[in-house]
Amino acid sequence: MSTRFQILVGLLFTLLTGVPLATIAVNDFGIVPSSEPMGLERRAAARRGREIEMGAETFARWCAGCHGVLGEGIPQVAPALARGDLLDGRRARAIGWTAGTDALIRHTIVAGRPIPSRPDLYAARMPAWGSEFGGALGAEQVNALVAFILNWRVAAPEVNAFPPLPPTVAATRVPALPPTPTPRVQVLPVCQMIPAPYAGAKAPFPSDDKAVLASGKQIYEARCAACHGNTGKGDGPAAAALNPKPANLTDKAFMRMLPVDCHLYVIAEGVKGTGMPPWKSLGNDALWKVLIYTRAFSGTP
Amino acid sequence: MFQREKRRPRPSVRERLPLLKHLGDRARLAQVVRDTAFRVADNVTRALSAGLSLADVRALLRGEPLPEGREVVFTNAFFAHWRPRAYAQSASKFSNTFALGFLSVLTLFVQAITGIVLMLFYNPSADAAYASVWRIVAEIPFGQFVRDLHRLSADLLILFAALHLLRVYFAGAFKPPRQFTWVTGVLLLVLVLGSALTGSLLPYDQAAYWGVTWVTDALKAAPPREGIGVAFTRFVRGGDTVGAATLLRFYFAHIALLPALTLALLAAHYYRVARLHGISLPAGEEESPDPEVRAAAQARVDFLPGILTREWLWIAMAVCALTMLAAFGYHAPLGSAADATRAPSPATVSWYWLWLQGMRQDPIVLPLWRAWCDAFGVDALDWYDSAAWQGVLLPSALFLLLLGVPYLDEVWDRWRGHASSRLGHNRKLGVTLGLLGVAVFIWFTYLGTPMASAPVSRAAEIAQAFLPAECVPAPIPLLPADCGVARRLGYDGLPTGAYELEQFADVPPSASRFEVMLAQMYARLRRQTDLPDAKGFFIVADWQTDLKKITLRITWTPRAPDEVGVFERTMFLHRDSVD
Ligand code: HEM
């Protein structure tokens, strides 16, 4: 090949390189108007889409147990998140938060709500999820959750998740009668006094029924594992941020101090002043199933 | 006008402004303008080419010889004297080197240039890295293009360097006196692989996080595990697991340490090739019994202009091809953000680590050892630490073996009393071993792909083909990753509803792509024999605005009392997220 030929063909290829470069420039700078989003615009939309997908996955994994699969909330456990006032900024204004809904949601997820705003409505406590507070979620997962929750904005129903406290209610609330004490020996402090429907309760299912154990496992993994860990050791991803720590359900000595009726009582009513939420709303059968499943961790009858 | 002049004395002010003198005389004025323009162009050419005047360039292009001495001026200039003044005619033929070393250098330069651009926007902190890569892709004009080029030419660099090694090996170009050149080459390859590993963590997506976790996990088995393996892994990761500390040290290695070492070694490598020994001649001509052929092979061809213009042509072609690919075909993958609590299954790694994954399956030694133990009734299985041998010791030994190839070859020749010869038929053993090595490498690579490993379960295998949690990189360089059939169909291609796969046993030819996918799933389900009475359900639900939830549920009759008999894989798909 002659020298001149090489130079010419080289120049030709150099000119040809201009074609893809020009195509990218046209797309990225939006030089030619088009009805379809192109270039940067299109990739930014793809980025948002991917983020929402990731958020949906994370939500199903960590949040649906308390907030409901579709963010519809679970009575007595946790408020709805797919709701108009949270997503359009009314909730932020109501609590005097000025940094915008996006930041309210982000900070609630990262730091949790150490002091429950309405313990009378939601006895569970919103755990701190951010890895900086010992939670399971990194910055990207939190960003994705925020994008996913905000994506409910378009079709969010009106739910009154935080109705105002009538001032009189607090004043006139009559303290519950102390339940009849049943003296016990060698039990947890909470088990000293078990109120009526629970005291002496007996399991309606045999403790070796495979089907009961299987559905107990399902409930456990959806509702409890975030705190108590998949194996019941109290080492779930939300546990790090809790004080006191979730109980270690595999500890034989501990479980012996938790008789069956008391066990039902703590699951149903939660433990006041700790992160352990009440689970009454799951229904009696579900409570027994998860109870039987968790007692099997330590082999305590 | 084209006359070679002697160096002129410094012009006076009056001479520098000749226009002033000739404002009245138009012909003279034109002459002066032309002269001045020529002088400026000439000076610029001299400056850029380090000594060649315009007249010299013209002479070169016409194939006229340069006057005595001009070449020396040129080749002693700073940039130009990196290159040899002349090559051996026979060695400069394309078929002698296939330009593989040249292409390695070219892709290395592309890496340097695109890497510097990426560095301006990349943020090496665990909280911000992934977002900063998305910012490059989705907010910076030409950002995705530069990132694609960087990933594309990284893959090509490894490919070219590996092929270059094979070329050198089979051509016997490592034989004396070029042994140490080979050693610097092997070290360069290791540095390039190190750059690939450290660079692969930087996007901090699932593939990055778990790929690096997987590769560095191998180090843990270095014996003694407690003393060295774990400590060394901690040193590499900056902690027990891959995390922010790993990202920072990999970033440092990727942008400073490894490039500096690579540059230094490349200088040594190239110095030895270009200045010390020259590129070796084709073996057949170098060792020809015919003295005329030998003499002809030594004929010289000047670097200027032929070699330079040829390289210019190659560069123009390669850059054009890279640009076309990055603009229209190839996109560097970016998966979901790294999540330390969720390992993708099956683990996937880039094509150039597959051989290592294959080795760790221990397809040769473990079965032999087991057979030996059985045959002699010895209970010695525990003595053999498969992870240590296959993950660390053997690869290290292979690396040392590769370094020592030229020296072992020399010892072998001396022992057999051969004269050193590069001709294939004089080194049958070497060529055979080389071919065997390539075959074993390809076999290991195959064993390392997910295709070759037993799936966790049939149901998971089907889910992986249609709804993988992460895109699966192709085992062959430059092929796009496989993100599953459902994602390819896209948001609009997946109509909402619950579908029982059985109903799609035979679909008419007019069926939509969606129905064809259901039929394929059903066919896979029917073909497998592990799950009794397997039934499949495919559910597409509207989940949120522009977001669908896609579920594949496979049920079967439990084969053991503690088996559940249900497998479920879900995936979320947003309208905008395709591609
Ligand atoms: C980053 C990687 C590498 C670069 C940039 C590089 C670059 C080059 C270049 C430009 C040449 C000139 C001849 C040619 O184009 O073939 C060369 C020759 C050579 N390279 Fe490499 N090389 C690399 C890796 C390697 C490896 C992995 C080996 C072998 C282990 C190796 C061994 C050699 C030898 C022995 C020569 C002399 C060949 C001869 O004289 O025919 N190099 N290299």
Side-chain angles (χ1 to χ4, degrees), chain A residues 153-180:
Chain A
R153 193 181 327 221
V154 183
E158 277 304 315
V159 178
N160 199 357
F162 291 92
L165 262 181
T168 48
V169 172
T172 59
R173 198 190 287 156
V174 184
L177 278 179
T180 30

Side-chain angles (χ1 to χ4, degrees), chain B residues 97 99-102 104-105 108 157 161 164-165 167-168 173-174 178 181-182 185-186 188-189 192 266 269-270 273 278-280:
Chain B
T97 61
L100 288 166
F102 175 84
S104 305
V105 176
L108 198 64
L157 171 54
H164 172 56
L165 180 145
R167 193 290 286 181
V168 167
F174 59 83
R178 297 186 175 81
T181 312
W182 168 276
V186 174
L188 269 175
L189 186 62
V192 166
L266 182 61
H269 191 72
Y270 191 72
V273 175
I279 296 175
S280 41

